[in-house]
Amino acid sequence: MTTAKARREEIYRLATTAGLTSVEELSQRFNVTASTIRRDLALLNDEGKLARTYGGALAIGAHPEASLRQRIGEAFEEKQAIAQWAAGQVQGGESILLDGGSTVGALAHALRDRSGLTVTTPAVNTVQELADSPGIHVDCLGGRLRSVSQTFVGPLAEAALERMTFDKVFLGADAVTADDGICEADQAQTRLKELMARRGAAVYVLADSSKLGQRPFHAWVRLPLPWTLVTDDGADPHQITLFREAGIDVEVVSGHNVQEAERSRAS
């Protein structure tokens, strides 16, 4: 008899080789109920190995979702530059919403010494960054914790958003394209981002240049105009043109000033 662990390993192997795998097909193959398969898929999704699609099918990419811990060290200088620019858009007395992710987490760190701010977030790393900041009031969106992204998602987080509005919303992204918007590994996370964008007077997507034009997963957030993409100067000029032609505001920031500041502090 196949153990649950062995079954999940085989599901992952099948999905990465076959592309799309449905709940019904897996249920028949392993001779278990559909609810058992859904639990397996939920666990694999939380581990960042699967990306959900509509209709109960799962799209399994050759690029499993990286954990927050892994992403923190990627494109570090670019993310710092983006975060510094974004911090410059935040004014005292504002109420802002910070999404999960490493770049938005860098923004939270840049805001630690501010005062008179209200920050709402579903992200564990942002809560940790701001927990001891006396000048910042922090509200947390509850829900189900996605361990791979360290963010809370689901109906509880969505219900809380219905009672809030924000001066500015800062969203992260696994990838972003001019035509389809934000790409993510999880449908629940895309749904939450969609609702976040609806609650802000101004919406910013913070994405380093390596994420532009990429399609690693099959879950998407279509953002209504206007919104602003904030990226770094390593971006492909063609990609920047595509975003601007789509009516999206684009801010391209340089990591040079951040690097110089870091060297000054070290000397």
Side-chain angles (χ1 to χ4, degrees), residues 119-124 126-127 137-143 152 156-157 160 164:
V119 175
T120 301
T121 185
V124 173
T126 290
V127 173
H137 177 84
V138 180
D139 289 325
C140 303
L141 299 179
F152 291 96
L156 293 178
M164 302 176 180

Side-chain angles (χ1 to χ4, degrees), residues 63-77:
H63 311 286
E65 182 183 5
S67 70
L68 178 64
R69 186 182 299 274
Q70 291 170 315
R71 284 181 280 137
I72 286 174
E74 298 173 351
F76 180 80
E77 291 177 345

Side-chain angles (χ1 to χ4, degrees), residues 95-100 119-123 139-143 151-171 188-201 203 221:
S95 177
I96 66 172
L97 176 59
L98 299 186
D99 190 14
V119 175
T120 301
T121 185
D139 289 325
C140 303
L141 299 179
T151 56
F152 291 96
V153 298
L156 293 178
E158 295 168 12
L161 277 175
E162 293 178 357
R163 297 177 177 271
M164 302 176 180
T165 58
F166 307 94
D167 297 298
K168 296 181 175 74
V169 173
F170 296 91
L171 300 176
Q189 201 146 322
T190 60
R191 172 61 176 164
L192 189 63
K193 289 178 189 288
E194 180 181 56
L195 295 177
M196 287 177 177
R198 294 178 183 176
R199 308 306 288 173
V203 177
V221 185

Side-chain angles (χ1 to χ4, degrees), residues 8-88:
R8 289 193 290 272
E9 290 175 348
E10 180 65 6
I11 289 171
Y12 177 64
R13 187 194 70 78
L14 286 170
T16 53
T17 56
L20 286 175
T21 305
S22 72
V23 171
E24 181 179 354
E25 290 170 344
L26 293 172
S27 177
Q28 293 174 354
R29 183 183 185 94
F30 294 103
N31 195 29
V32 294
T33 65
S35 61
T36 296
I37 292 297
R38 290 191 184 94
R39 284 194 294 271
D40 287 339
L41 298 177
L43 285 170
L44 289 168
N45 180 77
D46 285 346
E47 292 172 1
K49 295 179 178 178
L50 303 186
R52 299 191 183 195
T53 64
Y54 294 102
L58 294 196
I60 320 304
H63 311 286
E65 182 183 5
S67 70
L68 178 64
R69 186 182 299 274
Q70 291 170 315
R71 284 181 280 137
I72 286 174
E74 298 173 351
F76 180 80
E77 291 177 345
E78 291 83 354
K79 291 176 180 178
Q80 292 298 312
I82 292 168
Q84 290 293 335
W85 184 92

